[in-house]
Amino acid sequence: MDTTEVDAAEVDDAELIRWSREDPERFAGLFDRYIERIHRFVARRLGTQAADDIAAETFLTAFRSRASYDPAQRLAGPWLYGIATNLIAKHRRGEERFLRALSRTGANPLSEPPMADTVVGRVAAQEVDRRLAGALASMSSADRDVLLLVAWGELTYEEVAAVLKVPIGTVRSRLHRARKKARVALGGDDPTREVA
């Protein structure tokens, strides 16, 4: 059968992958079938900004390893979700390493210190950053996600529940645990407390 005459919509995923070994452009059919679902899955786990990169990396990894794909698996969805899940875990490990490094050094390579700060102010801020980063690194990723969505994302409990697809009670309990750890690390200060 001449594969150039067969529409990609007419064949299963395994066949598309097999064809793409000879004609790499055929892999685009698999991309078209799954990109929205993979992106949505990653966005729910890491947010939209990271989802763009992770979803793209998922398909790049799949393309590079397509020669080892098991053709007995007619649907490639589980394979792609497995790749995405591994990349999400890798991303989160990197985030945890960053937080631990910040906890040890107090130096955030992503932020520029304000020019008008005094040396004493800088040292105090670095110490708070270090303690907070240590507390964040010691939290479960679920608790940390809730705390950062509230504190840094400035989302309401309802919005956090919607983002994470969990009940609002789960948001409240995770936030309570996370705030407790953060308060201990910051000597009693609550980083998510609303200032009147």
Side-chain angles (χ1 to χ4, degrees):
M1 175 192 319
D2 182 8
T3 62
T4 58
E5 295 176 16
V6 177
D7 184 14
E10 297 175 21
V11 298
D12 64 27
D13 299 343
E15 192 68 13
L16 271 179
I17 293 170
R18 188 179 67 75
W19 289 351
S20 76
R21 292 176 188 161
E22 298 296 321
D23 181 7
E25 291 183 20
R26 287 294 196 158
F27 197 80
L30 193 69
F31 178 88
D32 293 341
R33 285 181 185 176
Y34 287 96
I35 185 60
E36 288 182 25
R37 287 184 271 175
I38 295 296
H39 188 276
R40 191 170 41 251
F41 171 72
V42 178
R44 287 178 179 157
R45 300 282 308 271
L46 300 176
T48 355
Q49 186 176 10
D52 294 344
D53 293 338
I54 299 293
E57 192 172 347
T58 297
F59 283 93
L60 179 61
T61 301
F63 180 79
R64 288 179 176 159
S65 62
R66 71 191 188 282
S68 64
Y69 183 77
D70 178 7
Q73 304 301 315
R74 306 314 294 171
L75 296 175
W79 178 57
L80 293 169
Y81 280 102
I83 293 169
T85 299
N86 289 337
L87 292 171
I88 289 167
K90 181 179 172 184
H91 176 84
R92 287 205 163 138
R93 285 190 301 270
E95 178 184 53
E96 288 173 13
R97 281 192 301 273
F98 170 78
L99 290 169
R100 284 191 176 92
L102 181 58
S103 171
R104 284 190 307 275
T105 66
N108 183 347
L110 301 179
S111 65
E112 297 177 22
M115 296 296 285
D117 276 352
T118 63
V119 172
V120 174
R122 287 182 193 167
V123 170
Q126 286 179 348
E127 181 57 30
V128 169
D129 284 350
R130 182 179 302 147
R131 289 184 292 157
L132 181 57
L136 290 171
S138 72
M139 292 177 193
S140 71
S141 61
D143 290 354
R144 182 174 53 247
D145 290 345
V146 169
L147 179 69
L148 296 180
L149 285 168
V150 170
W152 293 348
E154 300 177 354
L155 299 181
T156 66
Y157 292 3
E158 292 80 10
E159 291 169 329
V160 173
V163 167
L164 298 177
K165 307 287 189 232
V166 297
I168 196 164
T170 302
V171 170
R172 291 180 193 281
S173 63
R174 288 178 183 174
L175 185 59
H176 176 75
R177 279 192 304 270
R179 281 180 164 163
K180 187 175 178 180
K181 277 193 173 185
R183 272 195 300 270
V184 168
L186 297 176
D189 292 334
D190 183 353
T192 62
R193 179 177 47 85
E194 293 182 15
V195 178

